[in-house]
Amino acid sequence: MMCCEAEVKVSINTGSQHNHISSSCCQRLGLVPVQDSSPCGGSSSVPGLRLQMGRQTVECSAYVREDEAVELSLGLQTLLELKLS
């Protein structure tokens, strides 16, 4: 999947409503998180992410996590927009 014109490794998390992005992926893509209150325990998010999957583009936001195992995790809300769930 492409994000900010760079390839990003994506995982699908049907157990979460929200998207999550690792702090290292934010740095690599040059994204600057904004401070806010996350429903999942984080303290910042990245609004306005444009994700490109094939010919389909979706704009979404993601909460920042320190977990470096996954660059970007898509939750149910975005999967429904992409019609993947």
Side-chain angles (χ1 to χ4, degrees):
M1 183 171 288
M2 300 293 287
C3 179
C4 300
E5 298 183 20
E7 192 167 319
V8 177
K9 293 178 186 173
V10 175
S11 105
I12 295 183
N13 184 354
T14 58
S16 174
Q17 286 290 330
H18 306 285
N19 303 321
H20 297 96
I21 189 168
S22 71
S23 56
S24 63
C25 187
C26 284
Q27 290 175 349
R28 181 172 71 85
L29 298 175
L31 301 172
V32 179
V34 295
Q35 297 300 311
D36 65 6
S37 177
S38 161
C40 27
S43 62
S44 61
S45 66
V46 179
L49 285 175
R50 291 185 56 92
L51 305 176
Q52 178 86 30
M53 177 181 252
R55 294 183 181 176
Q56 192 163 7
T57 301
V58 66
E59 189 168 318
C60 62
S61 61
Y63 292 107
V64 179
R65 284 200 171 161
E66 297 303 316
D67 180 4
E68 306 299 327
V70 176
E71 287 189 325
L72 179 63
S73 173
L74 298 182
L76 284 176
Q77 184 177 3
T78 301
L79 296 176
L80 288 171
E81 288 182 40
L82 288 168
K83 295 180 176 54
L84 294 176
S85 62

